[in-house]
Amino acid sequence: MKRILWIAGSMAVLAVCWLMAQPAGDPLLQGFREVEVASVADAMEQLYGQQAFMPHEMRPLSPAKFAGPAVTVLMKKEEHKEGAAASQGMLDAIDNAPPGSVYVMVLENGGDYAGIGGLMATAMKYRGFVGAVIDGSVRDTPQIRKLQFPVFSRGVAPSTTINHYRFAGVNIPVTCAGVKVNAGDIVVADEDGVAVVPKAHASDVLKKAQELDNTEHSMIPFIEKFRSIKEAVAKFGRI
């Protein structure tokens, strides 16, 4: 029991540390960093009838919570012998992005290829990225965990994209794990998963997500007191 409590406490501390480490200044982004991804996903569905969340395969290497505007990178599957030169654009995207960004990389059929590893994750962290979302796999996981840089991906693989992929564009529309992402869209992630909010809808979605969060958090003490989720749902209208 003590071990479980220690793990839970450690995960909470990590989440708080990540929130504190993310750039401040934009009230909209700060709001998204504080709400739950589940509420963001619900808000998108209720307001616009859209599934904005990525599938359950997209999991973090370590407990993480972040939000920021997307920098999108597309890598096309192609066998060649040009080496790293064909992938240079994915590196330029890191060096040219503003602090606070989320690196969103799509690898075509990339489940068995690592889109990023320890070197790229190091560059992202020290360039001020708040996280990365990789529609593919990652490698060098001990180094990435040591960096405490949050990465979501479909899995882990020891392979490289070099000579197997070619850079196809930066800050272009992509479909990442089934969800459309444009450059500048707000990517929100926590241990429940990843959701994407079109920048044109960001203010309305945040307001609705905050309302959903507040309602749910108000229901918890009610349920504790009256020991009835049925009464809580009847009173607050949410489940």
Side-chain angles (χ1 to χ4, degrees):
M1 184 64 169
K2 289 183 178 179
R3 178 176 175 79
I4 293 173
L5 290 173
W6 180 85
I7 292 172
S10 299
M11 291 168 66
V13 169
L14 282 172
V16 170
C17 288
W18 268 110
L19 284 171
M20 293 176 65
Q22 293 177 57
D26 186 331
L28 186 71
L29 289 177
Q30 187 59 37
F32 276 112
R33 290 172 187 142
E34 294 171 355
V35 296
E36 298 174 11
V37 168
S39 294
V40 173
D42 286 356
M44 278 294 295
E45 185 171 352
Q46 292 180 24
L47 291 174
Y48 302 104
Q50 296 180 11
Q51 178 178 314
F53 61 91
M54 295 185 186
H56 65 276
E57 292 96 339
M58 299 295 286
R59 302 305 304 154
L61 289 180
S62 302
K65 183 172 178 60
F66 62 82
V71 171
T72 63
V73 172
L74 178 61
M75 302 293 289
K76 292 279 190 178
K77 186 75 172 67
E78 181 183 327
E79 298 297 322
H80 59 84
K81 298 296 182 182
E82 297 176 29
S87 300
Q88 182 62 43
M90 72 179 185
L91 308 181
D92 293 338
I94 298 173
D95 285 356
N96 294 331
S101 299
V102 176
Y103 193 85
V104 178
M105 172 186 270
V106 175
L107 298 177
E108 284 188 341
N109 301 315
D112 292 325
Y113 292 89
I116 71 167
L119 296 179
M120 290 176 67
T122 299
M124 289 179 203
K125 177 170 182 176
Y126 286 93
R127 283 290 304 178
F129 281 79
V130 296
V133 177
I134 311 300
D135 190 353
S137 289
V138 298
R139 67 179 187 177
D140 301 333
T141 55
Q143 293 96 313
I144 296 174
R145 288 193 179 101
K146 185 176 180 181
L147 278 170
Q148 296 186 343
F149 181 73
V151 177
F152 281 72
S153 71
R154 287 189 181 270
V156 176
S159 55
T160 179
T161 58
I162 303 302
N163 288 334
H164 303 293
Y165 280 82
R166 184 182 298 277
F167 171 74
V170 60
N171 287 333
I172 60 174
V174 297
T175 299
C176 183
V179 177
K180 292 181 180 179
V181 187
N182 291 290
D185 286 350
I186 308 301
V187 180
V188 190
D190 64 20
E191 290 177 70
D192 283 345
V194 183
V196 180
V197 179
K199 53 187 174 183
H201 299 329
S203 294
D204 290 341
V205 171
L206 176 60
K207 181 179 179 181
K208 184 64 174 179
Q210 289 171 330
E211 291 173 358
L212 293 172
D213 259 11
N214 290 337
T215 299
E216 182 163 322
H217 297 164
S218 298
M219 290 173 71
I220 292 173
F222 183 94
I223 293 170
E224 291 173 346
K225 180 178 180 180
F226 295 100
R227 301 182 182 181
S228 173
I229 189 169
K230 181 178 179 180
E231 290 184 21
V233 172
K235 178 178 176 61
F236 293 93
R238 170 163 168 74
I239 189 169

